Amino acid sequence: MPTKRSQLLNPFALVAYLLFGGLFLAGWLWFSQVSDRVLTRLNQQTGQLFIDKDIAFDPWQRTLAVNDVEFEEQGIQLSAERLSFVLNYRHWWGPWVGESIESLSAIELDSANIAIDPDLIVFTLPNWFQVLSVNSGRLSVTGIAQSLGFDQLTLTKEDGNRLKIQLDSHSAENWNFAGSYQVSEGLLSGELQLADLSLSTLMKAIPLKVLPALDNELLSNDRLSGTMSAALSLSWDKPNGLILKGNAEGQSGQLLLSGKLSGMSAEWQQWQLNNALFVANDPGESTAELSVSGLDLRVPETVTGEVIRFPVQLQQSLPAVITSLSINDSRLELERGHSPWVFENVNGSLVAKPALKKGKEKAIWKYQANAALANVGNVQLSGQLSGSDNDFTFQLNNARLAGPLKQYSVFAGYTMQDTRFDLSYSSQKHAGQVDISDWKTKKISNDPPISSINLLKALITDTSGKAVVPFSIKPGKSDTPLPKRIYLAIGQRFMTIASEPFDYLSQSTGHELKPELHHEAGKATLTELSLTNLEYLKKVLAQRPELSLLVDVNVSESQDGPELSRHELEEALQELYSATSSAEPSDAASIPPKVRATLMEQMYLATRQHQKIPEVGAQSPEQRVQKAEQWLLKNWPKAPDQIGKLQKARFDYLKKEMDRIGIDSGRVELTLSSSPEQKESEPYSLITLH
């Protein structure tokens, strides 16, 4: 019986052992080279080499994992900490025998950085590609300075020529994109969703040529704060570039400007961007409608310039894409020395009108705004901008001369602080109107240019209780701010009214009024023109209820004296004619001319006892009568208080005539003049307004 040792030395057993060991060794060597065969086949089919990489391949799961990989295709650069994917074969023994790979599946990248240059992409989908997943990474696109982080990127092949894209980020940069890429057409399209994206991140991503008014310093986080949410349709291809359409909104934020706009700041509660269209290749085609609520805008004096030019500055500082701006429930503070212009409850709009010939005409913007100017009143502003040209109208309603307008409260030696008024002005007409409803005046000068502010008030206050004063400003550019130009124009208008009150009343009421009431010489009655003037006076007083008159009743010895003497001479002739004939005194007007001439010569001879009538040959009878009449009038004895009686008669006549016409006696004061200058002038009564 053979022993165990002899069995081991049996040649057949030895051969069997050697054969088994050889097969085991060959299998082990074959198995150890599976990864090399897989990588070789992968390189042959995809063109990718993994040299000096930490590679792990599981032939049973057919999973290949590579650490620290980098890929570069035309227009695309990709790096990742780890790449893993599953190789799909037709047969289960495919990896061992080096069979061709049919497809790759479950492709995953971890912590990837993807850089894309859209203009350089030449991309075709390989047959073996099915799905690619990227777990976290950052995406950079040429032309956008700021890269965007994401949590998950999934690329899925559809229809052989279409790549479905799903990109999500749920970290600090909360955004996602769902769309597709048509490989043959090179067209990327889809929907982009942004949720609470940092505005500073967004500003870094937008080309600065779209925001020409903004400084690079805006892009730091300490200059711009706030977030944005948006729903945008995105499309991209090489001919048209990137195009975004949709709406966006944001909540509270802040903007601090520097450089030329240093010191200017803005805070807001909410904003909306509606009907936005962004065309990267042609920013001029980009449009958007911006609406801001709860805006608090502060503008330093170094930036403000003239207050009324703020709409021009606002339009010029808007990003180029904004074609419509709406501001609601906001506040605007324009620094002006110690008294800033603070506009509260601001509601307004600024809208661009489409140009008829784009690029050849200046853009035209229309604007309107309503606000409450602190410590002053309500403001309404509307106008049209074309370049630096600003045609506008504005109104101040129920305003008070206080706050920033306090510096314009002194007129002609009086302060009118706290006076209530309405004001309107048109830049195209260079004219406006102020309506004063509640006067607050105080004399501050011992010798004011206007003697009585109350008279000025009475002159311009109409039946509605408002004092309406139109004014105009000289056209042309001026270094003087518009509020001061309006103040000076109104002050000059006040001075003109006060110095020429009758001219002002004639122009404003439509009745040509004169300051004199002319009397018939030697009589109490007025001339026809003065009777008309008295009628006009009644109508003017009806339109100026606070105005009253002082009428200085006057006589003129040089004009009235001879007429009074003529009147008494005629009475003496009547008496003489009545005494020498049977005629009644009332018929004196019918004294025959020859009889009148004879009586005149007799009266002359009786008065001048030593005079003789000139010889007939020396003078004609008419000349002798004329000489006699002239001498009698010149030397007629004046009755006691003859002029005084005429003055009193005129006083009574005017009082009666004014009562007849309907002039309120309570608004007229009649006085008897004692001025020696007036007694030597024409016979008129002088009207003084007060």
Side-chain angles (χ1 to χ4, degrees):
M1 183 174 185
T3 63
K4 184 177 182 181
R5 179 179 178 84
S6 63
Q7 289 179 345
L8 291 173
L9 294 175
N10 189 299
F12 294 102
L14 182 61
V15 171
Y17 282 126
L18 290 174
L19 181 60
F20 178 79
L23 291 174
F24 177 81
L25 180 61
W28 181 84
L29 291 173
W30 181 268
F31 181 81
S32 65
Q33 294 177 354
V34 168
S35 296
D36 292 337
R37 286 193 295 275
V38 168
L39 291 177
T40 299
R41 177 60 68 180
L42 187 64
N43 172 250
Q44 291 173 350
Q45 292 186 234
T46 66
Q48 295 296 331
L49 288 173
F50 299 102
I51 302 175
D52 298 329
K53 299 293 182 181
D54 183 8
I55 301 174
F57 177 69
D58 183 351
W60 306 106
Q61 300 294 330
R62 302 177 184 181
T63 301
L64 181 69
V66 185
N67 294 331
D68 298 322
V69 295
E70 294 181 359
F71 297 97
E72 183 171 350
E73 290 288 344
Q74 189 168 354
I76 301 177
Q77 291 181 340
L78 185 149
S79 64
E81 292 183 0
R82 178 180 172 83
L83 166 65
S84 66
F85 50 87
V86 175
L87 292 83
N88 299 311
Y89 294 89
R90 176 172 295 183
H91 304 101
W92 65 269
W93 58 80
W96 282 273
V97 299
E99 188 177 80
S100 296
I101 303 168
E102 287 198 338
S103 64
L104 303 179
S105 61
I107 304 174
E108 292 189 11
L109 293 170
D110 296 330
S111 301
N113 289 312
I114 305 172
I116 299 175
D117 187 341
D119 293 331
L120 298 179
I121 288 180
V122 177
F123 187 66
T124 58
L125 288 178
N127 294 329
W128 50 262
F129 178 83
Q130 295 298 324
V131 179
L132 169 65
S133 296
V134 182
N135 302 316
S136 76
R138 297 198 71 83
L139 175 64
S140 301
V141 180
T142 300
I144 299 178
Q146 179 73 14
S147 64
L148 296 175
F150 60 88
D151 296 320
Q152 185 69 42
L153 169 61
T154 303
L155 304 178
T156 305
K157 183 179 180 181
E158 293 183 345
D159 302 332
N161 198 38
R162 182 171 176 266
L163 193 63
K164 181 181 177 182
I165 303 173
Q166 181 65 47
L167 186 59
D168 297 293
S169 174
H170 303 292
S171 58
E173 299 168 357
N174 193 353
W175 64 285
N176 67 79
F177 173 77
S180 64
Y181 180 69
Q182 296 288 345
V183 178
S184 59
E185 300 175 10
L187 173 63
L188 175 67
S189 62
E191 298 296 322
L192 177 64
Q193 301 285 335
L194 307 176
D196 299 326
L197 183 67
S198 168
L199 284 178
S200 60
T201 300
L202 178 68
M203 297 298 289
K204 293 176 183 178
I206 296 177
L208 286 179
K209 62 183 179 179
V210 180
L211 307 171
L214 302 182
D215 193 287
N216 282 329
E217 296 183 50
L218 285 177
L219 306 182
S220 59
N221 290 329
D222 60 340
R223 294 291 178 182
L224 177 63
S225 65
T227 59
M228 183 186 82
S229 300
L232 303 170
S233 297
L234 180 150
S235 66
W236 176 89
D237 59 14
K238 287 186 178 180
N240 300 312
L242 177 64
I243 298 176
L244 293 172
K245 296 179 181 180
N247 301 316
E249 63 179 15
Q251 301 302 318
S252 59
Q254 183 183 47
L255 173 64
L256 302 177
L257 299 177
S258 28
K260 294 180 180 180
L261 303 178
S262 178
M264 185 174 175
S265 67
E267 297 180 10
W268 57 86
Q269 296 299 319
Q270 185 179 19
W271 61 269
Q272 291 182 325
L273 200 65
N274 298 319
N275 301 319
L277 171 62
F278 172 73
V279 183
N281 284 357
D282 187 1
E285 292 287 343
S286 302
T287 62
E289 300 170 0
L290 176 62
S291 175
V292 184
S293 298
L295 176 66
D296 188 350
L297 182 61
R298 292 179 172 87
V299 184
E301 188 170 5
T302 54
V303 178
T304 301
E306 187 169 352
V307 174
I308 202 65
R309 287 193 58 79
F310 179 74
V312 178
Q313 297 171 321
L314 178 62
Q315 184 271 319
Q316 292 176 347
S317 66
L318 284 177
V321 299
I322 303 300
T323 56
S324 173
L325 172 65
S326 175
I327 298 177
N328 305 301
D329 302 325
S330 299
R331 181 180 183 274
L332 170 63
E333 181 176 333
L334 305 177
E335 293 183 4
R336 300 290 292 181
H338 299 293
S339 186
W341 296 68
V342 180
F343 297 89
E344 299 172 335
N345 302 321
V346 179
N347 293 278
S349 63
L350 178 63
V351 181
K353 295 178 60 179
L356 297 177
K357 296 180 180 179
K358 190 162 185 174
K360 296 184 179 180
E361 295 184 357
K362 295 181 180 178
I364 297 176
W365 294 71
K366 285 194 172 184
Y367 65 90
Q368 65 83 27
N370 301 308
L373 179 55
N375 299 318
V376 177
N378 298 323
V379 181
Q380 293 180 344
L381 176 66
S382 62
Q384 179 172 289
L385 303 175
S386 179
S388 60
D389 297 332
N390 182 15
D391 295 327
F392 62 90
T393 61
F394 75 83
Q395 291 181 330
L396 275 174
N397 298 320
N398 195 26
R400 188 166 62 99
L401 205 52
L405 300 185
K406 184 179 178 180
Q407 58 183 311
Y408 305 120
S409 62
V410 176
F411 291 92
Y414 294 85
T415 177
M416 297 180 65
Q417 186 176 341
D418 292 327
T419 291
R420 289 282 180 182
F421 66 97
D422 296 335
L423 178 69
S424 61
Y425 177 76
S426 168
S427 66
Q428 288 184 311
K429 298 178 180 178
H430 304 286
Q433 177 175 296
V434 60
D435 302 344
I436 304 175
S437 57
D438 184 16
W439 294 69
K440 303 290 184 182
T441 60
K442 181 180 178 181
K443 187 176 180 181
I444 58 175
S445 174
N446 294 328
D447 188 21
I450 296 178
S451 59
S452 174
I453 197 70
N454 291 327
L455 173 59
L456 178 64
K457 176 185 176 183
L459 284 169
I460 58 181
T461 302
D462 59 20
T463 54
S464 68
K466 288 188 176 182
V468 180
V469 182
F471 63 88
S472 61
I473 294 177
K474 186 178 180 180
K477 293 184 178 180
S478 173
D479 295 332
T480 305
L482 181 63
K484 187 172 183 179
R485 295 176 70 190
I486 292 177
Y487 161 72
L488 295 174
I490 294 174
Q492 182 60 45
R493 185 63 175 155
F494 279 171
M495 294 296 295
T496 301
I497 293 172
S499 61
E500 301 173 354
F502 285 91
D503 289 343
Y504 165 73
L505 289 174
S506 298
Q507 294 172 3
S508 60
T509 65
H511 304 294
E512 188 174 357
L513 195 63
K514 300 295 182 181
E516 305 93 4
L517 293 173
H518 290 272
H519 295 272
E520 299 284 356
K523 299 179 182 179
T525 56
L526 295 174
T527 64
E528 289 297 325
L529 289 177
S530 289
L531 283 172
T532 302
N533 194 34
L534 204 60
E535 292 282 354
Y536 288 162
L537 188 61
K538 172 194 172 182
K539 296 177 180 179
V540 169
L541 290 175
Q543 297 183 41
R544 295 293 184 269
E546 295 188 18
L547 189 64
S548 57
L549 309 176
L550 173 64
V551 180
D552 206 14
V553 182
N554 183 35
V555 288
S556 171
E557 292 185 359
S558 62
Q559 299 290 326
D560 290 324
E563 291 300 321
L564 288 173
S565 297
R566 184 182 301 279
H567 180 69
E568 292 187 0
L569 175 59
E570 292 298 330
E571 288 183 346
L573 288 174
Q574 292 172 6
E575 292 180 1
L576 184 58
Y577 177 64
S578 298
T580 57
S581 68
S582 59
E584 297 294 331
S586 59
D587 297 332
S590 59
I591 300 177
K594 291 185 178 181
V595 176
R596 188 177 185 280
T598 302
L599 294 175
M600 187 74 71
E601 290 181 339
Q602 291 176 353
M603 190 177 294
Y604 171 79
L605 294 174
T607 305
R608 303 191 66 182
Q609 298 178 1
H610 304 290
Q611 295 291 328
K612 294 182 179 179
I613 294 298
E615 296 295 332
V616 175
Q619 291 181 341
S620 66
E622 291 80 6
Q623 291 175 331
R624 293 200 308 271
V625 171
Q626 183 179 6
K627 181 178 180 181
E629 184 174 1
Q630 291 175 350
W631 186 91
L632 288 170
L633 289 174
K634 182 178 179 180
N635 296 279
W636 194 268
K638 294 180 175 58
D641 201 22
Q642 183 185 47
I643 293 295
K645 289 181 179 180
L646 177 61
Q647 189 176 27
K648 182 62 171 61
R650 288 177 175 172
F651 181 97
D652 295 337
Y653 169 80
L654 288 175
K655 184 176 181 181
K656 181 179 179 181
E657 195 65 19
M658 289 181 181
D659 289 340
R660 182 188 67 80
I661 292 174
I663 297 177
D664 185 1
S665 60
R667 299 174 61 185
V668 180
E669 180 182 358
L670 292 170
T671 63
L672 298 175
S673 175
S674 59
S675 173
E677 292 84 2
Q678 290 183 348
K679 289 187 177 181
E680 297 301 324
S681 62
E682 294 184 6
Y684 63 83
S685 294
L686 183 65
I687 302 174
T688 304
L689 305 172
H690 66 92

